[in-house]
Amino acid sequence: MEANINHSSIGFGQRTRAASSKTAIVSLVCLALAGCIGGADIRDAVPEAQVNNAQVVGYGPIRMWGDDASSITEDEIIAVRKQREQAAKSDPRMHPGEVDALTISGGGSSGAFGAGILTGWSHAGTRPQFDIVTGISTGSLIAPFAFLGSDYDGQLTEAFTAVSGKNIYDRNSFLTAISTGALTDNAPLRRLVEKYVNDDMVAAIAREHAKGRRLLIGTTNLDAERPVIWNIGAIAASDAPGKKKLIQDVLVASTSIPGMFPPVDIRTRANGKNYDEMHVDGGTSNQVFLMPPGLSLKAIDRRLGAKIKRRLFIIRNGRTSPEFSVVKRRLLPIAGKSISSLIKAEGVGDLYRMYAAAKRDDVDYNLVDMPEAFKVSEETPFDPKYMNALYRTGYEMARSGVPWEKVPPGFGK
């Protein structure tokens, strides 16, 4: 998510930017007070010396550091290619010589835009079967539907057009916020995630994972201050009895704005001892991601003697252009607008980073973001009127042919 309710899985629109920014500042105040008057932290955190060794209890390798290219080995890439080649023998949608990747950003309620793009793209009949899908924050909630294809468009549409703020969070009292470190309780969001991420969806993800397709979700390990990429298909394909809950936990964690929503503790084990890792909104680290930036696909192709045609599609659930608004000379408006600008700048920087990697590796780069012509204001957090209008905008854009940009914003044609 982004650092305000207007971003990640809890975003606000134009009308509520000031309110959401104020909430972000109040979050910081509450956290500061909690540090002064709160009790001892009873969480058994992973010691720094064991951070790289910690593994989720009951699983094999199901995640990697998002900032470490060595997390992906050549052997793993070879194994995925073999899976894809084998799957292509029975599934005509699999093309081992091509890779279509989709990455979906955060944006809160503006995730309705991405949902509209995907369903309109299906209607146009040109939407590919994505070989890799990644998501952060509200993008993490869209990603499983996008990964499983147009058969899930109905559920995706419902998830982003038939909800309101009451389906996402409950407000905490001031004292509860102090004790929990969160202004809201996102139990309603967890129930929403549980509704869609059921046994049938987990089984479907596992089947597609076996074909060499990958569904990846980003969170932030707050103690380590590092991005974590979770291989959701590997979790789904495991024999662990708690795999459905772990997937749900990762999705909720990816949308958990620090201070706004409670973090998600994930049980891990290192050096024979169990610990709790604290995971929060993936947007704390990156607004979009595909792979660790140091990983060169072109270099790997040369070593393996392969020639893969790759396309990257990025859906940015928000605007990348500056948005003018008169700021009052007061603490909260100034700080709030500054945070909003910082988040947008970080997101644009991520788009440039991905563009540089795409150029290096001969990947076809495609970007779409919310159009400047969209002027509907959001009256309340997760305003159904706003979300439905934005969904329809994305849908109509894609149905007539997604207007993909081939370069990042401000780069020039």
Side-chain angles (χ1 to χ4, degrees), residues 41-55:
D41 184 358
I42 61 173
R43 182 173 63 96
D44 196 0
V46 181
E48 182 177 2
Q50 298 296 332
V51 165
N52 288 325
N53 302 322
Q55 299 292 332

Side-chain angles (χ1 to χ4, degrees), residues 102 104 109-122 127 130 133 138-163 192 195-196 201 315 317 387-388 391 395:
L102 171 69
I104 314 167
S109 55
S110 295
F113 174 72
I117 287 288
L118 286 165
T119 53
W121 201 354
S122 294
R127 175 176 158 185
F130 301 110
V133 177
T138 199
S140 73
L141 304 180
I142 298 172
F145 301 112
F147 180 73
L148 293 175
S150 57
D151 287 347
Y152 283 74
D153 281 356
Q155 294 184 42
L156 175 60
T157 299
E158 179 184 69
F160 281 87
T161 62
V163 300
L192 194 65
K195 172 184 175 180
Y196 293 108
M201 175 178 275
I315 298 177
N317 291 307
M387 294 179 69
N388 277 269
Y391 172 88
Y395 180 88

Side-chain angles (χ1 to χ4, degrees), residues 34-262:
C36 294
I37 66 176
D41 184 358
I42 61 173
R43 182 173 63 96
D44 196 0
V46 181
E48 182 177 2
Q50 298 296 332
V51 165
N52 288 325
N53 302 322
Q55 299 292 332
V56 181
V57 177
Y59 295 87
I62 56 171
R63 60 186 188 164
M64 69 188 85
W65 292 116
D67 56 3
D68 183 4
S70 66
S71 298
I72 303 177
T73 67
E74 190 174 294
D75 287 343
E76 288 174 314
I77 293 175
I78 292 174
V80 170
R81 286 181 178 169
K82 288 182 177 179
Q83 282 183 310
R84 291 170 53 76
E85 290 169 355
Q86 183 64 32
K89 296 177 181 179
S90 57
D91 187 344
R93 299 173 300 169
M94 297 294 298
H95 305 284
E98 301 177 6
V99 173
D100 285 321
L102 171 69
T103 182
I104 314 167
S105 82
S109 55
S110 295
F113 174 72
I117 287 288
L118 286 165
T119 53
W121 201 354
S122 294
H123 186 93
T126 56
R127 175 176 158 185
Q129 172 179 270
F130 301 110
D131 303 290
I132 303 171
V133 177
T134 77
I136 276 181
S137 202
T138 199
S140 73
L141 304 180
I142 298 172
F145 301 112
F147 180 73
L148 293 175
S150 57
D151 287 347
Y152 283 74
D153 281 356
Q155 294 184 42
L156 175 60
T157 299
E158 179 184 69
F160 281 87
T161 62
V163 300
S164 62
K166 67 181 181 181
N167 303 114
I168 306 299
Y169 65 93
D170 294 321
R171 296 184 185 277
N172 283 335
S173 67
F174 181 76
L175 291 179
T176 300
I178 291 297
S179 63
T180 63
L183 289 178
T184 68
D185 180 354
N186 58 357
L189 174 62
R190 179 173 285 276
R191 290 193 291 270
L192 194 65
V193 170
E194 291 171 352
K195 172 184 175 180
Y196 293 108
V197 183
N198 53 30
D199 291 333
D200 289 342
M201 175 178 275
V202 172
I205 292 172
R207 286 194 296 271
E208 296 306 310
H209 177 79
K211 299 176 183 179
R213 300 177 63 217
R214 293 296 180 262
L215 172 60
L216 308 174
I217 299 299
T219 66
T220 298
N221 181 320
L222 198 57
D223 290 322
E225 292 186 348
R226 297 181 67 182
V228 178
I229 298 175
W230 296 82
N231 188 335
I232 301 300
I235 299 173
S238 73
D239 295 326
K243 60 187 179 182
K244 179 175 66 175
K245 183 178 184 302
L246 178 58
I247 293 173
Q248 294 167 349
D249 285 344
V250 170
L251 295 179
V252 173
S254 186
T255 65
S256 296
I257 304 170
M260 180 60 58
F261 301 113

Side-chain angles (χ1 to χ4, degrees), residues 348-396:
V348 172
D350 287 339
L351 297 177
Y352 271 81
R353 171 179 52 79
M354 296 183 74
Y355 178 73
K359 295 295 287 185
R360 178 195 64 197
D361 293 333
D362 292 334
V363 177
D364 181 27
Y365 180 95
N366 301 272
L367 165 69
V368 66
D369 64 345
M370 283 174 54
E372 294 185 26
F374 182 77
K375 301 298 183 183
V376 178
S377 296
E378 190 167 21
E379 301 297 330
T380 59
F382 291 91
D383 179 1
K385 179 181 177 182
Y386 169 83
M387 294 179 69
N388 277 269
L390 187 53
Y391 172 88
R392 177 56 58 179
T393 295
Y395 180 88
E396 294 298 338

